[in-house]
Amino acid sequence: MAAPVRIAPSILSADFARLGDEIAAVEAAGADLIHVDVMDGHYVPNITIGPAVVKAIKPHAKKPLDVHLMISPVDPFVEDFAKAGADIITVHPEAGPHVHRTLQFIRSLGKKPGVVLNPGTPIETIDNLMDLVDLVLIMSVNPGFGGQSFIESQIGKIAAARKRIDATGRDIALEVDGGINPETAKRCIAAGATVLVAGTAVFKGGAGQYAANIAALRG
Ligand code: DX5
Ligand code: ZN
């Protein structure tokens, strides 16, 4: 039987004034990873979290920090996020001149590298990167904001990524991010996803709901 899907709550939807408590609450509710959305107002039209905040939340997280960099240029900041406590660092090919080099650099820092594909980025983009990544992240919304609707065409891309990962024979996580709810989660899992990021669907209703919200995403 396939391993159960892992759930990565995006703290973008958490109460930013109480991030430590929010992380403890989602971990107690069953979170497998903590997804950190880093935005710079340049690569994406929103500004969120920098390395100082990652460093501040690190002692509050028992689960790995999955740091999604939506910043350009990305290379000058990768080491700062690694030192701040990121465990997984994911980058968009559009965010720097040499994504292959960026992924090598993340690995050289002892962190798990991942590549992220926007809805408009072709799946073939990962073909020459598979030996360098521990995670492939398919965006099912355009990056920048929580609370957007799932883009259906990305289901086919998840399935295409699944085939490529299986062909490597390596243990590469297949993560989906954006518009995940109990209904879209099922279809992502059926297409081969192994990690689901969810902000709105996890944090809605307050801490008393987190366990039920996370359980509902497991299918
Ligand atoms: C979008 C972010 C997502 C986002 C998901 O740029 O990468 O992680 O927070 O939010 P929901 O689950 O609300 O679509
Ligand atoms: Zn994200």
Side-chain angles (χ1 to χ4, degrees):
M1 204 183 104
V5 71
R6 290 184 287 160
I7 305 297
S10 165
I11 59 169
L12 190 59
S13 296
D15 178 351
F16 272 28
R18 302 172 41 255
L19 280 178
D21 292 345
E22 290 276 68
I23 288 169
V26 289
E27 289 191 354
D32 300 291
L33 299 165
I34 302 298
H35 187 82
V36 183
D37 284 308
V38 176
M39 307 185 187
D40 66 350
H42 172 71
Y43 180 69
V44 291
N46 194 6
I47 301 179
T48 56
I49 285 170
V53 174
V54 173
K55 188 176 177 189
I57 64 176
K58 181 67 178 172
H60 297 270
K62 295 189 192 73
K63 300 292 182 178
L65 293 183
D66 170 27
V67 176
H68 176 190
L69 297 182
M70 290 163 274
I71 59 175
S72 177
V74 65
D75 291 335
F77 300 101
V78 165
E79 192 165 4
D80 291 346
F81 284 100
K83 284 189 177 147
D87 297 286
I88 300 164
I89 299 179
T90 60
V91 294
H92 289 251
E94 301 88 351
H98 303 287
V99 67
H100 190 280
R101 177 180 284 146
T102 307
L103 294 167
Q104 286 178 316
F105 183 51
I106 295 168
R107 167 106 356 111
S108 78
L109 295 168
K111 307 300 180 180
K112 292 188 170 180
V115 62
V116 193
L117 300 184
N118 286 327
T121 306
I123 186 67
E124 290 77 15
T125 306
I126 65 175
D127 282 348
N128 293 296
L129 304 172
M130 295 305 280
D131 57 331
L132 289 175
V133 296
D134 292 313
L135 182 147
V136 173
L137 170 51
I138 305 295
M139 291 305 298
S140 40
V141 298
N142 284 297
F145 302 97
Q148 302 181 79
S149 299
F150 188 88
I151 298 172
E152 284 303 324
S153 60
Q154 301 308 299
I155 291 283
K157 199 195 280 183
I158 297 164
R162 175 81 267 149
K163 280 202 184 112
R164 283 163 165 81
I165 289 170
D166 289 348
T168 70
R170 288 184 50 235
D171 182 18
I172 299 173
L174 178 50
E175 184 175 50
V176 184
D177 184 1
I180 296 294
N181 58 40
E183 190 273 317
T184 55
K186 269 195 193 65
R187 285 179 296 124
C188 292
I189 295 166
T194 58
V195 184
L196 300 177
V197 176
T200 308
V202 167
F203 286 95
K204 69 173 187 197
Q209 290 301 311
Y210 295 168
N213 290 346
I214 289 173
L217 297 174
R218 294 195 196 276

